[in-house]
Amino acid sequence: MEKKLPPILEIRGLQISFKQYEKGFSQTELEVIRDLDVCVPAGEIVAVVGSSGSGKSLLAHAVLGILPYNASVKGEILYDGEALTEKRVKRLRGDEIVLVPQSTAYLDPLMKTGVQIRKGKKDAASKERLHQIFREYELKQEVEEQYPFELSGGMTRRIMNATALMGHPRLVIADEPTPGLHISVTRRAMEHFRELADMGAGVLLITHDLELAVETADRIAVFYAGSTLEEVPALAFQSCDTLHHPYSRALWNAMPKHGFQPIPGTQPYAREMPQGCPFGPRCPKYTQECSEKIPWRQTGDGRVRCIHAEEAQ
Amino acid sequence: MILQAKNVSFQYKENAPLVLQNISFEVKEGERVGLRGKSGIGKTTLCRLLAGYEKPHSGEVLLDGRPVTEYRGYCPVQMVWQHPEQAVNPRRRMYTVLEEGDGIPQEMTAKLGIEEAWKQRFPAELSGGELQRFCIARALGKRTRILLADEISTMLDLITQSQIWTFLLEEAKRRNLGMVVVSHSDDLLDRICTRIVEIG
Amino acid sequence: MKQWNRRKATVLILVISILFLVTVAAAGSQCSDAARATDFSRKNLLPCLEYPFGTDWMGRDMFARTLKGLSLSILIGVLAAAISAVIALVLGICAATLGRRADGVITWVIDLIMGIPHMLLLILISVAAGRGLKGVIIGVAFTHWTSLARLIRAEVMQLKESPYVKIAGKLGKGKWYVAYRHILPHLLPQFAVGLVLMFPHAILHEASITFLGFGLTSEQPAIGIILSESMKYLVLGKWWLALFPGLALVVTVIMFYLLGENLRRLIDPNSAHE
């Protein structure tokens, strides 16, 4: 297994901060994503798993260049081995790079759904493809002629998934594509992502749902309070012993089927981020060194950002 | 107390398709009932009906034999919503959320992992999981007898999820609360509920 | 952080415009006599050091007249806009809370008023109300509330449906609690901005109808009167009679507009953190 081609998407040391006013006149930079690394090779599904408020949706927005006006970005975003500049992303998005968004408010309320999904294309092939996708997503034919407000939440979501999959994208970014969907439809969507990956696309799946990620993804990046803490093959989540970071292990233990055991504490808010390892204050293995910058460390088929990882094995 | 839905049907507008059709369902104090069903089948709508936020198009929702929408003042049936960001006023500080509840003791907020400093903040300065803890505390006032939980932990990470459910389970047992739990996770329902109902 | 940022700029503009407006209003009310004093020994003077805006054909000091006119305009503008905003607030809230029928009637009135040409209605009301200061204030007040009322109606309707308001109801909180604790905090900023942005309109419209002869009587040195009188002398080459009062009016209006626009940017979440 030699990897000669550069990965479709590689993100190194991504930082996103927001300029905000405090009380009165002073402005501060609120750092929401502090240190995010993720790599999406062609033909693979990579899941970024993190809880709400960890800033993971911003990752999708940063790649697509649609962050709000008061955000600033540092770090590298490489697409096909080259920096993804604002100009380049404008040319590529919607075509080579597609987003399956989180909010159902992304559909144009004044356009019939069928037209939106075909992106205005009227040729026979597009129409045929549309029908095929509708069948796969259990959507009725008449939905094509309906406007978004006539659809239920679950239907809207299925349509957004369908929209992304119409063309032949090389990079699919799915931001929480399935909440509120029934398990069978969720599976169908995931199969679809798999098909796209098999055709050579890279899929970046951003989700809070660890179980879903373990089931569908090839690799999983564990994301916590603005940093990636561990990156492992999805198989590593089969057992607690193949996980290295204490946070990943805590996640594993908290799965309902593994005992549903909580650890105390909460993810720190961006304004009170501890120095060094963000998990430090909740970590049983916390030592003085954890408050310094934590380097990546290779662990077999993955990597982890924890200086106590070896003891954890 | 007993909360019953009798042959309830519901539509959002006249001539709109029925969201719920002839549903009957009941929950007593001390019971934890899981609701399972396909997406779009109307689980959220059923919760809103049970909590008295909507009136059924036909059929009735009764709390101890009286329509739940007729209860004035504090309603013994309280619901926790799926999206905590929408359930708190963005312009008011978090302690006001607790004040709005019915005598929320400090021990409860402590057990829920709510830190004192959070109470002085605005909603935008807290994460979804932190906000949801406030919403849960608010719904668990002294006079609450039945709690409806509509996918309250879907958007939260697993650790927060298990913290919240561990607390809720203990609280429900201690106070003999009735509970209706909607979740897409069968593992979760199996863990929490005394009984599971399939709708649709 | 000592950086220059939008909030500081906004507050600076706010202070400058308020200072300007207050000064003009105060100075104007002090020179009522000077504005009326005629002195034929100094008629038709070009702007000079002693009379920065020149004098007119009756030897009246144009600077004093302009100041007096502006202060009248500001007074009328503030009063009329305040009345208008209160009407908007009351009707907007009524439309949103008193049920479908009240909403229908109020929305109909709003559409009606918006459908009639603004100036026409303004003139009609102000003439019917007896012209003069009272007529103008009533006219302006009754024609300017519509869009703010619509805004408030929409805002209240949306708030009424928001989950936190519904939850408060189930927690046994009464209507007044909800109105005071939940609705008002959202309404106040909108209301303030709407009010301030109404000032420039009110002032311009006051000047317009006075200029057309339906507003203040010609004894009062209102800007509209000054401008309409100066018209006759423009062809005689007395340009300063219209230029300076006209400019002063424009500056006043711009000041109010800046004030409102900056307030709005501070409050609007889409630009609050710039």
Side-chain angles (χ1 to χ4, degrees):
Chain A
M1 286 246 295
E2 276 174 272
K3 279 180 199 157
K4 280 174 196 149
L5 286 172
I8 297 233
L9 179 73
E10 189 173 6
I11 295 174
R12 285 196 218 129
L14 182 72
Q15 264 183 39
I16 301 178
S17 52
F18 287 87
K19 209 183 228 183
Q20 280 194 331
Y21 283 100
E22 307 260 291
K23 269 186 199 129
F25 299 122
S26 58
Q27 266 177 323
T28 50
E29 293 275 332
L30 191 61
E31 208 168 60
V32 180
I33 290 190
R34 195 158 58 148
D35 200 347
L36 189 151
D37 294 86
V38 71
C39 178
V40 186
E44 286 195 11
I45 300 178
V46 176
V48 172
V49 180
S51 59
S52 82
S54 62
K56 60 193 188 318
S57 286
L58 293 173
L59 165 61
H61 296 177
V63 174
L64 288 159
I66 51 173
L67 287 169
Y69 66 92
N70 56 340
S72 58
V73 182
K74 280 182 218 144
E76 283 180 281
I77 302 179
L78 303 178
Y79 179 75
D80 255 349
E82 268 177 69
L84 192 60
T85 55
E86 207 175 313
K87 230 179 179 176
R88 205 163 157 229
V89 75
K90 270 196 183 143
R91 190 157 45 82
L92 295 175
R93 75 182 169 212
D95 203 20
E96 272 190 35
I97 305 180
V98 296
L99 171 73
V100 182
Q102 172 176 16
S103 158
T104 43
Y106 280 73
L107 286 175
D108 183 343
L110 299 176
M111 217 168 155
K112 286 181 182 167
T113 52
V115 184
Q116 286 193 51
I117 300 174
R118 294 199 308 269
K119 294 172 188 149
K121 289 184 192 133
K122 284 187 186 146
D123 53 300
S126 299
K127 282 190 176 153
E128 180 42 42
R129 177 100 176 100
L130 178 71
H131 293 167
Q132 187 195 336
I133 290 178
F134 267 43
R135 276 195 300 279
E136 286 174 31
Y137 275 91
E138 301 175 17
L139 287 165
K140 291 195 190 105
Q141 214 60 240
E142 59 255 31
V143 171
E144 255 185 78
E145 294 299 314
Q146 285 174 331
Y147 289 93
F149 77 91
E150 298 176 272
L151 310 171
S152 81
M155 263 152 96
T156 318
R157 194 148 276 298
R158 279 182 267 168
I159 284 175
M160 290 197 306
N161 289 353
T163 314
L165 307 173
M166 263 305 280
H168 294 283
R170 292 196 56 219
L171 174 63
V172 179
I173 300 173
D175 182 11
E176 296 285 7
T178 55
L181 283 189
H182 188 247
I183 191 76
S184 77
V185 185
T186 301
R187 292 238 163 81
R188 183 103 4 101
M190 292 304 139
E191 279 164 26
H192 224 133
F193 289 144
R194 175 55 68 196
E195 276 170 36
L196 284 167
D198 288 344
M199 279 158 39
V203 179
L204 178 63
L205 174 66
I206 299 173
T207 179
H208 71 282
D209 192 337
L210 182 60
E211 283 142 314
L212 181 78
V214 171
E215 222 173 277
T216 34
D218 297 295
R219 297 186 70 79
I220 291 179
V222 177
F223 187 61
Y224 178 78
S227 306
T228 334
L229 296 184
E230 181 162 15
E231 203 188 334
V232 285
L235 285 175
F237 270 91
Q238 297 299 333
S239 139
C240 192
D241 299 328
T242 40
L243 296 171
H244 304 281
H245 202 285
Y247 176 66
S248 315
R249 293 189 162 205
L251 272 181
W252 193 90
N253 281 324
M255 285 166 94
K257 60 182 168 205
H258 297 151
F260 212 37
Q261 269 165 17
I263 55 163
T266 51
Q267 174 176 279
Y269 170 61
R271 207 174 289 237
E272 306 161 349
M273 205 58 80
Q275 291 289 306
C277 180
F279 189 63
R282 298 169 76 182
C283 186
K285 295 203 167 65
Y286 182 77
T287 57
Q288 200 59 50
E289 297 83 59
C290 293
S291 60
E292 282 151 35
K293 186 153 173 62
I294 316 282
W296 278 110
R297 177 180 288 211
Q298 213 61 34
T299 57
D301 215 2
R303 51 183 185 159
V304 64
R305 219 181 236 160
C306 174
I307 48 172
H308 301 296
E310 252 134 4
E311 301 155 44
Q313 267 182 317
Chain B
M1 269 189 166
I2 177 164
L3 180 64
Q4 297 165 296
K6 288 188 172 164
N7 303 318
V8 164
S9 299
F10 186 77
Q11 56 191 161
Y12 275 98
K13 261 189 229 153
E14 261 177 77
N15 305 323
L18 285 174
V19 187
L20 290 171
Q21 212 163 357
N22 244 353
I23 303 278
S24 294
F25 171 88
E26 66 170 55
V27 54
K28 289 199 242 347
E29 272 177 76
E31 249 190 334
R32 294 183 297 279
V33 188
L35 272 184
R36 192 145 63 186
K38 282 195 174 186
S39 80
I41 206 79
K43 286 169 294 190
T44 298
T45 310
L46 181 57
C47 281
R48 292 168 61 90
L49 285 167
L50 289 172
Y53 287 110
E54 308 278 353
K55 272 189 184 163
H57 171 68
S58 67
E60 47 191 358
V61 178
L62 304 173
L63 178 62
D64 277 351
R66 209 174 115 204
V68 68
T69 45
E70 279 179 18
Y71 279 74
R72 292 286 161 261
Y74 193 90
C75 183
V77 181
Q78 290 291 331
M79 169 168 160
V80 180
W81 299 53
Q82 184 178 352
H83 301 290
E85 316 78 51
Q86 296 168 9
V88 293
N89 190 333
R91 288 186 191 267
R92 304 188 71 205
R93 291 180 195 275
M94 292 313 295
Y95 68 87
T96 65
V97 171
L98 297 175
E99 278 175 5
E100 222 169 83
D102 183 31
I104 310 299
Q106 214 270 329
E107 307 111 66
M108 190 196 290
T109 60
K111 266 199 237 160
L112 267 167
I114 294 175
E115 288 172 22
E116 286 304 308
W118 300 354
K119 295 181 184 171
Q120 292 303 322
R121 290 195 192 146
F122 285 104
E125 300 171 301
L126 293 173
S127 73
E130 289 160 359
L131 288 176
Q132 193 65 295
R133 293 168 207 249
F134 279 91
C135 292
I136 290 169
R138 174 177 62 183
L140 282 174
K142 283 185 301 230
R143 283 173 281 175
T144 302
R145 296 313 308 151
I146 292 170
L147 187 76
L148 311 175
D150 176 24
E151 296 275 17
I152 60 170
S153 59
T154 340
M155 297 305 281
L156 311 178
D157 69 305
L158 285 165
I159 296 175
T160 312
Q161 233 178 77
S162 62
Q163 285 175 343
I164 284 178
W165 281 111
T166 308
F167 164 81
L168 274 176
L169 202 57
E170 192 193 300
E171 187 78 3
K173 281 180 184 161
R174 187 173 66 78
R175 290 166 57 178
N176 200 33
L177 296 175
M179 249 169 113
V180 177
V181 184
V182 178
S183 170
H184 66 287
S185 162
D186 291 346
D187 289 336
L188 180 75
L189 291 183
D190 289 342
R191 260 191 188 270
I192 302 296
C193 300
T194 54
R195 172 161 76 89
I196 289 176
V197 173
E198 201 84 36
I199 66 166
Chain C
M1 288 221 295
K2 286 272 168 210
Q3 238 174 359
W4 189 246
N5 58 37
R6 151 106 22 221
R7 264 194 201 181
K8 286 180 192 159
T10 304
V11 171
L12 188 73
I13 291 174
L14 233 101
V15 169
I16 292 177
S17 38
I18 289 176
L19 265 181
F20 173 84
L21 296 169
V22 169
T23 316
V24 169
S29 62
Q30 291 307 308
C31 53
S32 304
D33 295 334
R36 289 210 187 84
T38 54
D39 181 349
F40 287 95
S41 67
R42 60 173 194 200
K43 65 178 181 180
N44 292 333
L45 288 180
L46 267 166
C48 56
L49 273 180
E50 202 180 340
Y51 305 107
F53 287 8
T55 60
D56 66 3
W57 61 97
M58 287 162 84
R60 290 176 297 196
D61 180 1
M62 286 309 285
F63 184 67
R65 284 177 70 74
T66 305
L67 270 185
K68 178 67 190 160
L70 281 182
S71 78
L72 260 175
S73 289
I74 292 172
L75 174 80
I76 293 174
V78 168
L79 254 170
I83 298 174
S84 212
V86 171
I87 298 177
L89 185 70
V90 172
L91 288 185
I93 292 177
C94 287
T97 51
L98 292 185
R100 207 170 275 180
R101 189 167 296 169
D103 185 33
V105 172
I106 293 170
T107 323
W108 182 77
V109 173
I110 291 177
D111 288 341
L112 188 76
I113 291 183
M114 285 183 135
I116 300 172
H118 215 69
M119 278 312 287
L120 187 66
L121 192 67
L122 194 54
I123 291 171
L124 278 177
I125 297 180
S126 118
V127 170
R131 294 205 187 181
L133 194 67
K134 195 180 78 183
V136 174
I137 292 181
I138 293 179
V140 174
F142 278 89
T143 45
H144 282 72
W145 54 273
T146 46
S147 46
L148 183 60
R150 255 194 194 170
L151 195 79
I152 289 175
R153 170 180 170 271
E155 182 80 14
V156 174
M157 279 189 155
Q158 199 195 343
L159 286 169
K160 251 178 39 179
E161 289 306 309
S162 67
Y164 52 83
V165 166
K166 299 202 153 190
I167 291 169
K170 285 285 155 204
L171 291 167
K173 303 297 176 197
K175 274 191 178 158
W176 289 112
Y177 176 94
V178 170
Y180 184 65
R181 307 273 170 162
H182 285 300
I183 311 250
L184 206 63
H186 287 263
L187 235 43
L188 271 182
Q190 297 254 21
F191 178 74
V193 172
L195 175 68
V196 175
L197 281 178
M198 225 187 265
F199 292 154
H201 276 264
I203 290 173
L204 270 184
H205 280 130
E206 178 273 320
S208 310
I209 60 165
T210 306
F211 178 82
L212 292 174
F214 299 102
L216 299 182
T217 47
S218 51
E219 301 91 66
Q220 278 154 318
I223 289 284
I225 300 284
I226 296 175
L227 287 177
S228 81
E229 283 179 353
S230 312
M231 284 283 282
K232 301 168 204 152
Y233 293 85
L234 260 184
V235 280
L236 299 175
K238 306 213 166 35
W239 50 270
W240 62 90
L241 293 182
L243 180 71
F244 291 113
L247 271 182
L249 177 66
V250 170
V251 169
T252 307
V253 165
I254 288 178
M255 280 298 181
F256 270 125
Y257 181 73
L258 277 180
L259 194 70
E261 196 54 26
N262 277 287
L263 266 180
R264 191 190 60 73
R265 293 183 79 128
L266 271 189
I267 289 163
D268 186 349
N270 285 320
S271 53
H273 289 292
E274 261 172 16

